[in-house]
Amino acid sequence: MSHATTTDVQDNRPRTSPDRPKTGLSSRSLPRWAPLGFAAVSVALGIGVSVAAGWQSRVQWGLISALLFLTISYVATTVVENQRQAKDRLATSVVWVCFLVAVVPLASLLWTTVSRGSKRLDPYFLTHSMAGVLGSEDSGGVYHALIGTLEQVGIATVISAPLGLLTAVYLVEYGKGGLAKAVTFFVDVMTGIPSIVAGLFILSIMLIADIEPSGLMGALALSILMIPVVVRSTEEMLKLVPNELREASLALGIPKWRTILKVVLPTAIGGITTGVMLAVARIAGETAPIILLVFGSQLINANPFEGAQSSLPFYIYEQYKVGEAASYDRAWAAALVLIAFVMILNLVARGIARWKAPKSGR
């Protein structure tokens, strides 16, 4: 009796046939290489449709290919998998397309600068100035502009980094009431100030005080542009430091100023350094304040406190304005030097930040 009952119970269990397909969210799925295949098919179809339509612009080719990629990905995923997976893949595809739309112009700009600037970039170009060189002559260099950029950006960084850091510490650690709100408001306003306005401000002071153009005047205008970037980036990094670290230090009887100096700042040093480097990159390419306050020079002037100087952005503008083939080559080479200058500064700053960052325990 018990045997029959057990048999009946077993017979009532649902049986699954090996030939019957399983149902579920993961029953059928596209292979991992499917997005690459969709991209290849979309690019081929986009180029074919564009050529057949007589469109010569590569931008149009890219847009058609992107639309085809989104459509093919959605339709194929809907047919093979399901509607839910198709929506997920469509969102992922949109993110990838937006990423490529942002990266392609930057990569194209970098490639153009490197390909055209490397033709003229050599040791002679880096060690000679434009003294006595005509615009049409295939000679001259960027040495005087490189010295001007190093000195002007260096002075602006020496002025702006401490001021921005101390302002951010005040806003995060001490700032309360109307003064903190006023400082925050003016920092936000200064963030959007055009570079020409900063140059005009320093120029008005020069005219009132009868001061001659010099690299220092340009550095002061650059510091006005740099300070709000340093303040805002440093402020955000300090806010990311956990309050538990501050409380633990204060609980041991350590003064607040020492807690900030020994705990808060070392914890956020990586982000602070990155913010300063972003500010340096922001001012390294400014031309308008240099034109107004430094005037430019074809000669080597290593004294930023007296006499006109040049800079890499001003040198690029100056050479492009000449309009000769040789001057265009010098302008592209100077642009490559400027990009390399900013990249080297970022690498050095990241190395210093990693060296000075607190070591994590095991």
Side-chain angles (χ1 to χ4, degrees):
M1 186 72 176
S2 60
H3 176 71
T5 305
T6 304
T7 305
D8 293 340
V9 172
Q10 292 178 350
D11 291 340
N12 290 332
R13 293 175 181 175
R15 296 190 178 98
T16 57
S17 173
D19 297 332
R20 183 182 300 175
K22 297 180 181 180
T23 59
L25 294 177
S26 61
S27 59
R28 301 170 62 188
S29 61
L30 292 169
R32 292 184 177 182
W33 52 263
L36 295 177
F38 295 156
V41 172
S42 301
V43 170
L45 290 177
I47 294 175
V49 170
S50 301
V51 171
W55 297 336
Q56 301 298 326
S57 175
R58 295 183 180 180
V59 176
Q60 293 176 330
W61 296 5
L63 293 176
I64 295 297
S65 299
L67 293 176
L68 288 174
F69 174 69
L70 296 176
T71 304
I72 293 174
S73 299
Y74 181 78
V75 173
T77 307
T78 302
V79 173
V80 176
E81 298 181 1
N82 52 54
Q83 190 76 16
R84 177 175 175 273
Q85 295 294 336
K87 293 180 180 179
D88 179 76
R89 191 176 294 274
L90 177 62
T92 305
S93 301
V94 170
V95 171
W96 276 104
V97 169
C98 293
F99 170 75
L100 292 177
V101 169
V103 168
V104 167
L106 297 177
S108 176
L109 175 62
L110 183 61
W111 170 257
T112 303
T113 305
V114 171
S115 60
R116 299 193 62 172
S118 59
K119 298 178 182 178
R120 188 68 180 81
L121 186 60
D122 52 24
Y124 173 85
F125 182 75
L126 295 175
T127 56
H128 288 75
S129 67
M130 291 296 295
V133 179
L134 298 178
S136 58
E137 295 181 3
D138 190 14
S139 60
V142 76
Y143 181 69
H144 61 300
L146 183 58
I147 288 179
T149 294
L150 290 173
E151 292 180 346
Q152 294 159 23
V153 171
I155 294 173
T157 304
V158 170
I159 296 173
S160 303
L163 289 177
L165 177 60
L166 294 175
T167 303
V169 168
Y170 166 75
L171 292 176
V172 175
E173 304 294 337
Y174 298 98
K176 293 180 181 179
L179 180 59
K181 293 181 180 179
V183 173
T184 303
F185 172 76
F186 282 111
V187 168
D188 293 337
V189 171
M190 290 178 63
T191 304
I193 289 180
S195 59
I196 189 66
V197 175
L200 289 173
F201 173 72
I202 301 298
L203 180 62
S204 63
I205 297 177
M206 291 173 57
L207 295 176
I208 294 173
D210 195 19
I211 301 174
E212 296 294 328
S214 64
L216 176 62
M217 297 297 104
L220 292 177
L222 296 179
S223 65
I224 294 176
L225 302 173
M226 186 176 177
I227 287 175
V229 180
V230 176
V231 172
R232 185 60 61 222
S233 59
T234 304
E235 185 180 1
E236 295 301 323
M237 290 301 104
L238 294 178
K239 288 180 180 178
L240 294 178
V241 177
N243 286 327
E244 288 78 5
L245 295 178
R246 299 180 176 89
E247 294 171 357
S249 177
L250 295 174
L252 296 175
I254 299 176
K256 187 171 184 178
W257 68 268
R258 193 170 181 83
T259 299
I260 296 172
L261 188 63
K262 296 295 184 179
V263 177
V264 178
L265 292 180
T267 304
I269 188 63
I272 293 173
T273 306
T274 302
V276 173
M277 288 302 102
L278 288 175
V280 170
R282 161 80 167 84
I283 65 172
E286 292 294 344
T287 309
I290 306 303
I291 295 176
L292 289 175
L293 307 173
V294 184
F295 278 18
S297 175
Q298 304 292 332
L299 305 176
I300 299 173
N301 180 14
N303 184 6
F305 303 101
E306 183 179 359
Q309 268 191 329
S310 186
S311 69
L312 288 174
F314 183 82
Y315 181 87
I316 296 170
Y317 163 77
E318 189 179 41
Q319 294 301 314
Y320 183 81
K321 189 174 64 173
V322 172
E324 299 288 342
S327 65
Y328 287 153
D329 293 338
R330 287 191 291 266
W332 282 108
L336 182 58
V337 172
L338 182 59
I339 292 176
F341 169 72
V342 175
M343 290 182 63
I344 291 172
L345 282 180
N346 278 275
L347 292 176
V348 172
R350 289 182 181 275
I352 296 175
R354 180 171 297 182
W355 174 46
K356 290 294 185 181
K359 304 297 185 294
S360 58
R362 294 182 179 178

